[in-house]
Amino acid sequence: MTGVQTCALPIWNVRLIVDGQYGLSTSLVLYSNTAVSCLPGMGFIMQAGSNAPVVANAHQNAPSTTSGTGGFLVSNITDQNILVEGCTLNANSVQAVTGKNMFSVPHTVNPATGIFVVGVHFVGVDHLVFDHNEVYDSGIFAAFFSNVTYARITNNYIHQPKPLTALKFTDGIHFIGPDSFLWIQNNRVNAGDDSIALNADDGNRTDSGDPNYANSQFPGVKWGWITDAHIDNNTLDYSYFGLRLYSATELIDRVSVTNMSGTACGITASLEGLTNLGSGNFGKIDIDGWTLQTDGTCDSYKEPY
């Protein structure tokens, strides 16, 4: 046929079908054109003292193109076409993460490096699908992304052991800029800090004033614009904090938030600046269908540093 365009599916170099429950002593590292699909109830758990994310991409490259305000644009990406679906990803931080953060909270950092240990860690990926997974008991952020483009984070259950631990900073879905073309939909989250965070600038930035600055120097992670994000039909299970859009000088623009529901014990949503560095740089933010409620019983994260 002529005049008809078709969309080519990725050609997987590796297609891993996980049919059991496996312990990992280090991260499962994924390269370009890799798909990991788990059968129901199957997946991975981190072994004691492993001090590593459950899943990470192979080439965690920092963005190399600066923007006009000193941040970065999505660039320098090596890994592309990565799929993780249907997996139970137990970060097992109460056994696997052995260091304390700056607030002396245990099970948060790798003691050898002093860097936070997240649940899943994707830095520098083009075309990422993270779908129908369960992420549990991370040292800090459950699902962490930076320098990514065309990322679909959909239909996941992201949660922490209860009761939630104060000052462990167990965000649910956390982006640090630069990022673009994000689709965050149909996720269920409980979190000990931000349930969903789009942070153009974050505490890893020099002079941010973040008391956890030393713990948040993730290799390859910079800061920069976050644009073209759709956040739809996500449900929060009694999280400390709902939605946070965070910027000092870097742009957050063309973000739509629809049908957010559930319960928080702290602030439901905020647009904030890093007061040490800037008052924020926000473009068009649309919010519709908001029914997220709070009872205010853990309202302790409302000041930006």
Side-chain angles (χ1 to χ4, degrees):
M1 295 176 62
T2 59
V4 176
Q5 293 183 336
T6 61
C7 181
L9 295 174
I11 299 174
W12 304 116
N13 293 335
V14 175
R15 186 69 190 261
L16 176 64
I17 308 298
V18 180
D19 61 355
Q21 298 173 341
Y22 298 94
L24 299 177
S25 60
T26 190
S27 301
L28 178 67
V29 178
L30 306 181
Y31 290 76
S32 291
N33 302 313
T34 295
V36 179
S37 302
C38 296
L39 298 183
M42 303 297 112
F44 306 95
I45 183 171
M46 299 309 292
Q47 294 181 353
S50 53
N51 289 301
V54 187
V55 177
N57 66 296
H59 302 97
Q60 300 203 342
N61 294 338
S64 58
T65 305
T66 59
S67 71
T69 56
F72 296 82
L73 303 177
V74 176
S75 54
N76 196 32
I77 289 176
T78 299
D79 295 330
Q80 58 184 340
N81 298 328
I82 292 176
L83 166 70
V84 181
E85 63 177 359
C87 296
T88 298
L89 305 171
N90 188 343
N92 191 26
S93 77
V94 294
Q95 293 183 304
V97 184
T98 58
K100 296 181 180 180
N101 67 13
M102 298 299 290
F103 291 92
S104 296
V105 177
H107 314 303
T108 52
V109 308
N110 181 334
T113 63
I115 303 301
F116 284 130
V117 179
V118 301
V120 298
H121 197 173
F122 292 100
V123 176
V125 182
D126 175 50
H127 284 88
L128 168 69
V129 177
F130 191 77
D131 181 63
H132 277 99
N133 300 292
E134 178 179 359
V135 185
Y136 180 67
D137 190 20
S138 56
I140 182 173
F141 314 142
F144 177 47
F145 311 90
S146 184
N147 196 28
V148 300
T149 187
Y150 295 101
R152 297 182 67 90
I153 315 303
T154 53
N155 306 299
N156 301 289
Y157 181 29
I158 295 172
H159 61 124
Q160 303 295 332
K162 293 182 179 180
L164 298 171
T165 302
L167 301 179
K168 195 175 181 187
F169 306 111
T170 46
D171 286 18
I173 301 168
H174 190 108
F175 286 84
I176 292 179
D179 307 288
S180 61
F181 302 108
L182 313 177
W183 192 274
I184 305 165
Q185 186 178 50
N186 296 339
N187 299 286
R188 179 183 172 192
V189 181
N190 89 319
D193 197 352
D194 307 343
S195 298
I196 300 173
L198 301 186
N199 292 357
D201 318 78
D202 211 332
N204 66 307
R205 183 172 174 181
T206 304
D207 296 326
S208 66
D210 186 349
N212 279 313
Y213 173 81
N215 296 142
S216 60
Q217 298 304 298
F218 302 103
V221 177
K222 297 295 185 181
W223 58 89
W225 287 12
I226 298 180
T227 61
D228 303 288
H230 183 54
I231 303 171
D232 175 60
N233 200 40
N234 296 283
T235 302
L236 309 187
D237 289 343
Y238 209 66
S239 296
Y240 271 44
F241 205 106
L243 172 71
R244 193 194 306 253
L245 306 183
Y246 209 22
S247 161
T249 60
E250 297 307 298
L251 178 66
I252 298 178
D253 194 15
R254 300 188 297 275
V255 175
S256 67
V257 183
T258 52
N259 305 315
M260 183 80 82
S261 62
T263 305
C265 58
I267 292 175
T268 57
S270 71
L271 279 69
E272 297 183 43
L274 273 81
T275 53
N276 283 13
L277 295 172
S279 57
N281 184 358
F282 297 97
K284 185 177 182 181
I285 314 293
D286 292 321
I287 298 177
D288 185 43
W290 188 277
T291 59
L292 181 64
Q293 303 294 312
T294 182
D295 63 14
T297 58
C298 62
D299 187 10
S300 57
Y301 292 120
K302 58 186 173 183
E303 292 299 328
Y305 310 154

